[in-house]
Amino acid sequence: MKKMAKYLLLSFAMLWVNSGMLTEVFAQDTLSLHRVQRNVEERVKEFHALAFRVDMDMPVSGDALQDSVDAWVETLMATALQMTPSGPYASCEDMATHYEHAFVDGVTAEIKSIVKKRRKEKGSFRLTYTFDYTVRRVYETQGLITFEAEAYLGYGEGEGAHLRRMATFRKENGCLLQWSDLVQPRRMSALQGLVADGLQSFFGMANYASLCDRLQLSGVKRNRFPLPQATPALKADGIYAFYAVGEPTAAVAAEAWAIVPYSAMNKIWKSGARKLCGK
């Protein structure tokens, strides 16, 4: 568990900046959701503690959309805990219960092992392990819905790490929204330039040259800036492009994201994309 937490701390050190979940105004065609919650707190070896808290708004459509969102939510939970996804499950409640038991059993065993190894140390120490996981709908149109997931893992004697992800799904078939759904093929280079601008803003760089220096990226024109492997996600303020650790270059030691304002998309929308996005 501690090795897992150190990995997360490196990966997501910069990720919590400006990451608060926003309350959005949804379209009238609002998908029905149900809430899945877990709140478990236990003492271990008298002085130590663990807590597992899950609060997820999940679709109940009973179709491909529900299956896709369930799989995405589970993958992120497993990633945050450095476990292997084992779904699908009969229900989201079953999924939450599975990870609750895995977390409680794993942490309890780790605390007992640490206490045994440190039993000869002078003075007292307190170990606290906390996992918080929240999933919320943050944007919706008649044809699309975006979910945002945030996780916090606290461990040991006060260390911790955060995780944030978003994804936009097509309601009709549960497929993740792709860049090719939004942009004309011949205008993809314009999108790449807009994403570069957004990443420039994220890192607080004065110009594109400074961004390239920050990323140790050479010989790449602005309109050829590499897009992330992650699919785009929509919110009220624009289209999000999430870059994983090591993207677009190995010099990036934490995740980052660019926001492309909808107003900047006016000349590059693919036919039907503006309406699909509710713009």
Side-chain angles (χ1 to χ4, degrees):
M1 183 68 66
K2 193 166 185 178
K3 290 182 178 179
M4 167 260 291
K6 286 183 177 179
Y7 168 80
L8 285 171
L9 190 59
L10 173 63
S11 299
F12 308 121
M14 294 179 61
L15 194 55
W16 202 242
V17 180
N18 300 322
S19 65
M21 289 187 177
L22 302 178
T23 300
E24 311 291 4
V25 178
F26 302 129
Q28 291 183 353
D29 183 17
T30 299
L31 195 72
S32 296
L33 304 176
H34 79 293
R35 181 158 290 184
V36 178
Q37 295 177 308
R38 290 289 185 277
N39 189 355
V40 178
E41 297 183 2
E42 294 185 8
R43 290 281 184 180
V44 183
K45 302 292 287 186
E46 187 177 357
F47 297 109
H48 313 287
L50 63 83
F52 180 90
R53 291 182 285 264
V54 167
D55 188 358
M56 307 184 297
D57 286 339
M58 305 293 290
V60 289
S61 49
D63 57 10
L65 173 63
Q66 181 177 336
D67 293 342
S68 295
V69 175
D70 287 357
W72 179 77
V73 167
E74 191 211 351
T75 297
L76 293 181
M77 187 184 297
T79 297
L81 293 169
Q82 207 175 23
M83 298 179 183
T84 301
S86 54
Y89 297 88
S91 68
C92 295
E93 287 79 6
D94 288 348
M95 175 178 67
T97 298
H98 169 81
Y99 285 98
E100 171 197 326
H101 291 167
F103 176 81
V104 171
D105 292 347
V107 167
T108 299
E110 180 165 320
I111 290 176
K112 290 180 178 179
S113 176
I114 293 173
V115 170
K116 183 178 180 180
K117 291 177 181 178
R118 297 178 61 177
R119 65 183 182 275
K120 294 183 179 180
E121 290 184 11
K122 293 182 179 180
S124 61
F125 64 96
R126 178 179 174 82
L127 301 174
T128 302
Y129 289 74
T130 302
F131 182 69
D132 289 289
Y133 188 51
T134 305
V135 179
R136 292 287 183 266
R137 167 179 49 198
V138 293
Y139 190 70
E140 185 174 357
T141 71
Q142 287 189 332
L144 301 172
I145 185 167
T146 301
F147 287 91
E148 183 174 34
E150 292 185 322
Y152 171 73
L153 176 68
Y155 65 97
E157 296 177 87
E159 298 176 274
H162 295 90
L163 163 66
R164 181 194 186 198
R165 291 287 194 281
M166 284 197 299
T168 297
F169 300 85
R170 285 180 172 269
K171 291 181 179 179
E172 62 181 355
N173 55 22
C175 291
L176 285 166
L177 187 69
Q178 305 293 324
W179 290 112
S180 58
D181 295 326
L182 302 176
V183 181
Q184 304 169 41
R186 63 186 180 84
R187 301 308 305 275
M188 195 61 70
S189 60
L191 171 69
Q192 291 171 268
L194 293 172
V195 170
D197 293 345
L199 208 58
Q200 177 181 314
S201 177
F202 177 87
F203 285 111
M205 298 290 103
N207 49 51
Y208 181 66
S210 298
L211 174 65
C212 290
D213 288 343
R214 168 67 176 78
L215 301 178
Q216 298 180 22
L217 183 67
S218 61
V220 177
K221 295 181 179 180
R222 175 181 166 278
N223 63 354
R224 290 293 184 267
F225 193 83
L227 295 175
Q229 292 185 18
T231 56
L234 308 184
K235 288 188 73 174
D237 56 341
I239 304 170
Y240 281 65
F242 281 88
Y243 284 86
V245 175
E247 286 188 294
T249 69
V252 182
E255 294 194 353
W257 61 89
I259 304 174
V260 178
Y262 293 111
S263 59
M265 297 284 294
N266 287 337
K267 296 181 179 181
I268 66 173
W269 284 116
K270 187 176 182 177
S271 177
R274 184 196 296 268
K275 182 179 180 180
L276 181 66
C277 296
K279 300 301 172 183

mmCIF file of all heavy atoms in Angstrom, residues 24-41:
data_model
loop_
_atom_site.group_PDB
_atom_site.id
_atom_site.type_symbol
_atom_site.label_atom_id
_atom_site.label_comp_id
_atom_site.label_asym_id
_atom_site.label_seq_id
_atom_site.Cartn_x
_atom_site.Cartn_y
_atom_site.Cartn_z
ATOM 1 N N GLU A 24 -22.958 22.214 -12.543
ATOM 2 C CA GLU A 24 -23.270 22.663 -13.886
ATOM 3 C C GLU A 24 -24.784 22.749 -14.094
ATOM 4 O O GLU A 24 -25.564 22.178 -13.338
ATOM 5 C CB GLU A 24 -22.675 21.686 -14.920
ATOM 6 C CG GLU A 24 -21.217 21.340 -14.693
ATOM 7 C CD GLU A 24 -20.280 22.491 -14.947
ATOM 8 O OE1 GLU A 24 -20.754 23.597 -15.224
ATOM 9 O OE2 GLU A 24 -19.060 22.287 -14.847
ATOM 10 N N VAL A 25 -25.195 23.441 -15.127
ATOM 11 C CA VAL A 25 -26.585 23.476 -15.534
ATOM 12 C C VAL A 25 -26.770 22.447 -16.635
ATOM 13 O O VAL A 25 -26.172 22.542 -17.694
ATOM 14 C CB VAL A 25 -26.979 24.875 -16.055
ATOM 15 C CG1 VAL A 25 -28.428 24.861 -16.521
ATOM 16 C CG2 VAL A 25 -26.774 25.920 -14.957
ATOM 17 N N PHE A 26 -27.587 21.427 -16.383
ATOM 18 C CA PHE A 26 -27.737 20.333 -17.313
ATOM 19 C C PHE A 26 -28.873 20.594 -18.301
ATOM 20 O O PHE A 26 -29.765 21.389 -18.061
ATOM 21 C CB PHE A 26 -28.017 19.025 -16.559
ATOM 22 C CG PHE A 26 -26.953 18.669 -15.564
ATOM 23 C CD1 PHE A 26 -27.298 18.361 -14.262
ATOM 24 C CD2 PHE A 26 -25.619 18.672 -15.916
ATOM 25 C CE1 PHE A 26 -26.322 18.037 -13.336
ATOM 26 C CE2 PHE A 26 -24.638 18.349 -14.988
ATOM 27 C CZ PHE A 26 -25.004 18.030 -13.693
ATOM 28 N N ALA A 27 -28.842 19.873 -19.411
ATOM 29 C CA ALA A 27 -29.917 19.942 -20.378
ATOM 30 C C ALA A 27 -31.196 19.370 -19.769
ATOM 31 O O ALA A 27 -31.165 18.645 -18.781
ATOM 32 C CB ALA A 27 -29.534 19.166 -21.633
ATOM 33 N N GLN A 28 -32.348 19.685 -20.359
ATOM 34 C CA GLN A 28 -33.613 19.167 -19.844
ATOM 35 C C GLN A 28 -33.661 17.649 -19.909
ATOM 36 O O GLN A 28 -34.271 16.997 -19.080
ATOM 37 C CB GLN A 28 -34.778 19.770 -20.630
ATOM 38 C CG GLN A 28 -34.982 21.258 -20.370
ATOM 39 C CD GLN A 28 -36.183 21.809 -21.110
ATOM 40 O OE1 GLN A 28 -36.801 21.121 -21.914
ATOM 41 N NE2 GLN A 28 -36.514 23.059 -20.841
ATOM 42 N N ASP A 29 -32.994 17.085 -20.909
ATOM 43 C CA ASP A 29 -32.932 15.636 -21.049
ATOM 44 C C ASP A 29 -31.854 15.110 -20.099
ATOM 45 O O ASP A 29 -30.732 14.839 -20.484
ATOM 46 C CB ASP A 29 -32.607 15.258 -22.496
ATOM 47 C CG ASP A 29 -32.605 13.749 -22.694
ATOM 48 O OD1 ASP A 29 -33.144 13.037 -21.842
ATOM 49 O OD2 ASP A 29 -32.051 13.305 -23.711
ATOM 50 N N THR A 30 -32.198 14.988 -18.832
ATOM 51 C CA THR A 30 -31.227 14.613 -17.809
ATOM 52 C C THR A 30 -31.334 13.133 -17.480
ATOM 53 O O THR A 30 -32.409 12.638 -17.150
ATOM 54 C CB THR A 30 -31.440 15.443 -16.520
ATOM 55 O OG1 THR A 30 -31.271 16.817 -16.825
ATOM 56 C CG2 THR A 30 -30.435 15.050 -15.453
ATOM 57 N N LEU A 31 -30.219 12.442 -17.566
ATOM 58 C CA LEU A 31 -30.182 11.001 -17.319
ATOM 59 C C LEU A 31 -30.428 10.699 -15.842
ATOM 60 O O LEU A 31 -29.919 11.380 -14.960
ATOM 61 C CB LEU A 31 -28.813 10.454 -17.728
ATOM 62 C CG LEU A 31 -28.689 8.942 -17.876
ATOM 63 C CD1 LEU A 31 -29.423 8.484 -19.124
ATOM 64 C CD2 LEU A 31 -27.221 8.543 -17.961
ATOM 65 N N SER A 32 -31.213 9.666 -15.574
ATOM 66 C CA SER A 32 -31.472 9.253 -14.197
ATOM 67 C C SER A 32 -30.231 8.588 -13.610
ATOM 68 O O SER A 32 -29.598 7.748 -14.258
ATOM 69 C CB SER A 32 -32.650 8.273 -14.143
ATOM 70 O OG SER A 32 -33.840 8.894 -14.558
ATOM 71 N N LEU A 33 -29.901 8.977 -12.392
ATOM 72 C CA LEU A 33 -28.740 8.433 -11.695
ATOM 73 C C LEU A 33 -29.167 7.902 -10.335
ATOM 74 O O LEU A 33 -30.185 8.313 -9.787
ATOM 75 C CB LEU A 33 -27.667 9.505 -11.496
ATOM 76 C CG LEU A 33 -27.148 10.242 -12.734
ATOM 77 C CD1 LEU A 33 -26.165 11.326 -12.322
ATOM 78 C CD2 LEU A 33 -26.498 9.279 -13.717
ATOM 79 N N HIS A 34 -28.378 6.984 -9.802
ATOM 80 C CA HIS A 34 -28.595 6.577 -8.414
ATOM 81 C C HIS A 34 -27.266 6.656 -7.675
ATOM 82 O O HIS A 34 -26.201 6.541 -8.267
ATOM 83 C CB HIS A 34 -29.200 5.175 -8.325
ATOM 84 C CG HIS A 34 -28.213 4.060 -8.523
ATOM 85 N ND1 HIS A 34 -27.588 3.821 -9.729
ATOM 86 C CD2 HIS A 34 -27.757 3.105 -7.668
ATOM 87 C CE1 HIS A 34 -26.804 2.767 -9.619
ATOM 88 N NE2 HIS A 34 -26.872 2.322 -8.378
ATOM 89 N N ARG A 35 -27.342 6.889 -6.376
ATOM 90 C CA ARG A 35 -26.139 7.118 -5.578
ATOM 91 C C ARG A 35 -25.716 5.836 -4.866
ATOM 92 O O ARG A 35 -26.534 5.143 -4.245
ATOM 93 C CB ARG A 35 -26.382 8.229 -4.558
ATOM 94 C CG ARG A 35 -25.163 8.560 -3.696
ATOM 95 C CD ARG A 35 -25.235 9.941 -3.108
ATOM 96 N NE ARG A 35 -25.060 10.956 -4.157
ATOM 97 C CZ ARG A 35 -25.006 12.268 -3.917
ATOM 98 N NH1 ARG A 35 -25.124 12.725 -2.683
ATOM 99 N NH2 ARG A 35 -24.848 13.120 -4.906
ATOM 100 N N VAL A 36 -24.416 5.550 -4.969
ATOM 101 C CA VAL A 36 -23.814 4.408 -4.297
ATOM 102 C C VAL A 36 -22.842 4.948 -3.255
ATOM 103 O O VAL A 36 -21.939 5.714 -3.592
ATOM 104 C CB VAL A 36 -23.063 3.495 -5.296
ATOM 105 C CG1 VAL A 36 -22.400 2.338 -4.568
ATOM 106 C CG2 VAL A 36 -24.017 2.989 -6.363
ATOM 107 N N GLN A 37 -23.016 4.556 -2.010
ATOM 108 C CA GLN A 37 -22.193 5.104 -0.930
ATOM 109 C C GLN A 37 -21.666 3.999 -0.020
ATOM 110 O O GLN A 37 -22.333 2.992 0.211
ATOM 111 C CB GLN A 37 -22.995 6.112 -0.091
ATOM 112 C CG GLN A 37 -23.421 7.360 -0.857
ATOM 113 C CD GLN A 37 -24.258 8.295 -0.014
ATOM 114 O OE1 GLN A 37 -25.252 7.896 0.592
ATOM 115 N NE2 GLN A 37 -23.867 9.565 0.031
ATOM 116 N N ARG A 38 -20.459 4.226 0.458
ATOM 117 C CA ARG A 38 -19.862 3.389 1.488
ATOM 118 C C ARG A 38 -19.122 4.300 2.463
ATOM 119 O O ARG A 38 -18.461 5.250 2.047
ATOM 120 C CB ARG A 38 -18.855 2.383 0.892
ATOM 121 C CG ARG A 38 -19.482 1.289 0.072
ATOM 122 C CD ARG A 38 -20.239 0.298 0.951
ATOM 123 N NE ARG A 38 -20.743 -0.812 0.168
ATOM 124 C CZ ARG A 38 -21.869 -0.798 -0.537
ATOM 125 N NH1 ARG A 38 -22.605 0.301 -0.569
ATOM 126 N NH2 ARG A 38 -22.272 -1.854 -1.213
ATOM 127 N N ASN A 39 -19.216 3.996 3.736
ATOM 128 C CA ASN A 39 -18.503 4.782 4.755
ATOM 129 C C ASN A 39 -18.090 3.838 5.872
ATOM 130 O O ASN A 39 -18.885 3.511 6.753
ATOM 131 C CB ASN A 39 -19.391 5.905 5.286
ATOM 132 C CG ASN A 39 -18.627 6.872 6.177
ATOM 133 O OD1 ASN A 39 -17.446 6.655 6.482
ATOM 134 N ND2 ASN A 39 -19.275 7.929 6.599
ATOM 135 N N VAL A 40 -16.854 3.380 5.793
ATOM 136 C CA VAL A 40 -16.340 2.402 6.756
ATOM 137 C C VAL A 40 -15.151 2.996 7.497
ATOM 138 O O VAL A 40 -14.213 3.498 6.873
ATOM 139 C CB VAL A 40 -15.902 1.106 6.038
ATOM 140 C CG1 VAL A 40 -15.313 0.114 7.035
ATOM 141 C CG2 VAL A 40 -17.078 0.494 5.288
ATOM 142 N N GLU A 41 -15.192 2.967 8.815
ATOM 143 C CA GLU A 41 -14.080 3.422 9.644
ATOM 144 C C GLU A 41 -13.783 2.360 10.687
ATOM 145 O O GLU A 41 -14.699 1.876 11.362
ATOM 146 C CB GLU A 41 -14.414 4.760 10.315
ATOM 147 C CG GLU A 41 -14.645 5.898 9.327
ATOM 148 C CD GLU A 41 -14.902 7.228 10.024
ATOM 149 O OE1 GLU A 41 -14.858 7.266 11.272
ATOM 150 O OE2 GLU A 41 -15.168 8.217 9.321
#
